[in-house]
Amino acid sequence: MTEKNQEKHKARQQKVKEKVDQKVAEANIEQGILQVISGNGKGKSTSGFGTVARCVGHGMQAAVVQFIKGNWECGERNLLEKVGVPFAVMKTGFTWETQNRETDAQAAQATWQKAKAWLQDESIDLVLLDELTYMVSYDYLDLNEVLEALRNRPKMQSVIITGRGAHRSLTELADTVSEVRNVKHAFEAGIKAQKGFDF
Ligand code: ATP
Ligand code: MG
């Protein structure tokens, strides 16, 4: 780099820094964050669990509600329960394996009761509602009840909702919304779901 370019670069970076500093100074609201992680690509639940690990790593309290992963062994659960993260798991397994709408809806309701209790508990800093979007899409849970529970949660509590096809009311209410796009997935090339990677 010539000296002149160096100067230009420095001036540009200084401007960027000023803008970032200003934005950081302006972001002074202290409150829990509602995040929705949706889309068809892989990485929604793992992202949610990453934040749970981050929370627990600070000595804070997280709770996990899993809406359709009942019969799968879950690596994160094995680890996180050991460090005091409570789990509520809907026990019906993947919905396309179960044929009974009635029992699925009942299981969803029972699991939701636990979620609701955590959404009223100030001692819980983060609630992960894994795969909740499907419960709303299938009408197993009442959308308005879900929205109300999210709105009325303790001010400092953060919540993460994962799952494809998030209802618009959920993304509208959320503070942070991420869409994971599928570029390619190993499964499409015939590679089996791998323990320690996919579950
Ligand atoms: P992960 O739990 O790995 O973060 P996810 O939460 O984004 O995945 P889900 O829709 O909940 O994705 O699906 C869970 C399982 O399905 C995982 O084993 C994951 O590898 C697999 N999966 C995710 N996306 C795809 C895809 N686009 N094609 C095929 N399988 C997928
Ligand atoms: Mg998932």
Side-chain angles (χ1 to χ4, degrees):
M1 229 186 249
T2 64
E3 210 164 292
K4 201 170 170 200
N5 279 345
Q6 187 71 269
E7 283 298 310
K8 264 192 184 166
H9 176 74
K10 212 176 150 188
R12 247 195 328 257
Q13 289 307 103
Q14 182 58 31
K15 270 200 183 144
V16 171
K17 187 182 169 343
E18 277 165 18
K19 275 198 182 144
V20 172
D21 286 351
Q22 193 189 345
K23 286 217 167 127
V24 170
E26 280 166 8
N28 53 17
I29 303 168
E30 289 277 6
Q31 64 165 69
I33 292 166
L34 174 61
Q35 180 180 16
V36 170
I37 309 170
S38 198
N40 295 329
K42 173 182 165 66
K44 300 176 290 294
S45 297
T46 43
S47 169
F49 278 115
T51 308
V52 169
R54 183 174 279 182
C55 174
V56 173
H58 285 293
M60 295 162 75
Q61 183 67 51
V64 177
V65 187
Q66 289 181 296
F67 279 97
I68 53 175
K69 290 287 167 61
N71 302 327
W72 280 47
E73 203 196 343
C74 172
E76 293 96 330
R77 184 180 179 190
N78 295 345
L79 177 72
L80 291 166
E81 279 188 335
K82 285 187 197 145
V83 293
V85 177
F87 273 64
V89 184
M90 190 169 133
K91 294 263 160 46
T92 61
F94 277 113
T95 41
W96 50 88
E97 281 175 9
T98 61
Q99 307 286 328
N100 192 331
R101 228 188 115 76
E102 196 50 41
T103 53
D104 272 2
Q106 277 169 14
Q109 275 302 330
T111 312
W112 171 242
Q113 295 313 311
K114 294 194 182 157
K116 242 178 25 184
W118 285 334
L119 290 170
Q120 292 169 8
D121 185 343
E122 273 187 28
S123 72
I124 299 183
D125 301 292
L126 173 67
V127 183
L128 172 59
L129 301 173
D130 195 28
E131 322 296 347
L132 175 114
T133 59
Y134 307 102
M135 302 302 103
V136 171
S137 310
Y138 300 155
D139 250 342
Y140 289 170
L141 298 182
D142 179 55
L143 174 65
N144 286 323
E145 199 183 323
V146 172
L147 294 172
E148 195 182 296
L150 292 169
R151 276 196 208 101
N152 295 333
R153 74 188 197 276
K155 183 173 179 261
M156 292 311 295
Q157 185 182 77
S158 290
V159 175
I160 301 175
I161 294 170
T162 79
R164 298 174 196 206
H167 193 283
R168 198 163 157 186
S169 319
L170 290 172
T171 56
E172 276 174 4
L173 183 65
D175 306 295
T176 298
V177 179
S178 300
E179 180 96 10
V180 183
R181 186 168 66 89
N182 182 50
V183 176
K184 57 165 126 167
H185 192 286
F187 183 71
E188 293 155 15
I191 304 171
K192 226 174 131 174
Q194 295 296 303
K195 182 176 180 174
F197 192 92
D198 287 302
F199 59 92

